[in-house]
Amino acid sequence: GAEGSTLMSYFSKNQIQALKPKITFSTLRDLQCPVLQSHDLQGKPEESCSTEELFEWLGAVLNQVNLDNKSSSFLSTYCCPEPNTVVEKAFLCTITGFIIPEKIIQLLEQLCCYFGEPKLAYWLTLTVHGFADSPVSWRESEHGFHKGGENLYNFVIFRNLDYWLQMAVGAHDDCPP
């Protein structure tokens, strides 16, 4: 109706346009991955890694940090936590843009369907980063982006469909309920 045409007029007059999310795919070869057990959040020496170790490793992988721990690389001497296994191929899909919660739920459901057929993977992840200056906040507090801006969560989904949910919020933000 009239409201819709007024809104469209505003957008076109101010040269505002809708953008589709940018999707990129990459294949990581011979990637060292932590060994995880869905029932063991703390990890056990020589058996499995903890949730904290996974979260740190995942951050390094997503930021394309070299994980070989060679001293000639002064940017990072980080290496994959122990125990780990080498994965011949790992697939990374990155979607950049404004993504509504319903689409994130849909992605999560599709990832769970991945284990519907026998697969070699033991686990997979879905990480959602909010913009540092996101207006979204938890509870009644304003998002503290002027003082930090951390705003992400990560699902780790296991073959048996158990999952871990990891969240990071800024020091000046309330934790989610």
Side-chain angles (χ1 to χ4, degrees):
E3 290 177 4
S5 63
T6 304
L7 188 60
M8 292 306 293
S9 171
Y10 172 81
F11 285 135
S12 62
K13 182 172 59 177
N14 290 294
Q15 298 178 345
I16 297 171
Q17 59 183 328
L19 299 175
K20 295 205 180 266
K22 177 184 171 190
I23 302 173
T24 58
F25 297 95
S26 57
T27 301
L28 308 174
R29 300 204 182 274
D30 300 321
L31 180 66
Q32 283 186 299
C33 294
V35 172
L36 305 175
Q37 299 293 329
S38 65
H39 60 277
D40 194 3
L41 299 172
Q42 302 304 316
K44 289 184 181 160
E46 300 181 24
E47 287 183 33
S48 63
C49 296
S50 70
T51 58
E52 291 88 1
E53 290 172 314
L54 169 73
F55 201 63
E56 183 175 52
W57 171 85
L58 190 58
V61 170
L62 294 175
N63 286 292
Q64 301 174 356
V65 170
N66 188 349
L67 302 177
D68 62 11
N69 198 24
K70 291 182 182 173
S71 61
S72 63
S73 170
F74 291 99
L75 293 176
S76 173
T77 56
Y78 180 81
C79 59
C80 185
E82 294 285 339
N84 60 54
T85 185
V86 175
V87 174
E88 185 179 322
K89 286 185 198 177
F91 298 102
L92 177 62
C93 173
T94 304
I95 304 171
T96 305
F98 183 77
I99 304 165
I100 61 174
E102 291 80 10
K103 290 293 182 187
I104 294 169
I105 292 168
Q106 191 177 28
L107 280 169
L108 189 58
E109 289 171 348
Q110 289 298 310
L111 288 173
C112 288
C113 290
Y114 174 81
F115 293 116
E117 297 177 24
K119 305 286 186 200
L120 296 177
Y122 290 99
W123 53 270
L124 52 84
T125 67
L126 171 66
T127 303
V128 179
H129 288 264
F131 296 104
D133 61 351
S134 172
V136 176
S137 64
W138 301 107
R139 298 192 181 132
E140 301 299 319
S141 295
E142 181 179 339
H143 180 50
F145 73 91
H146 293 293
K147 301 170 185 157
E150 298 82 359
N151 182 10
L152 68 100
Y153 57 93
N154 180 58
F155 282 97
V156 182
I157 305 155
F158 294 91
R159 189 184 285 178
N160 64 0
L161 298 183
D162 283 352
Y163 70 92
W164 296 346
L165 173 59
Q166 300 170 302
M167 291 185 249
V169 295
H172 300 281
D173 289 329
D174 275 345
C175 288

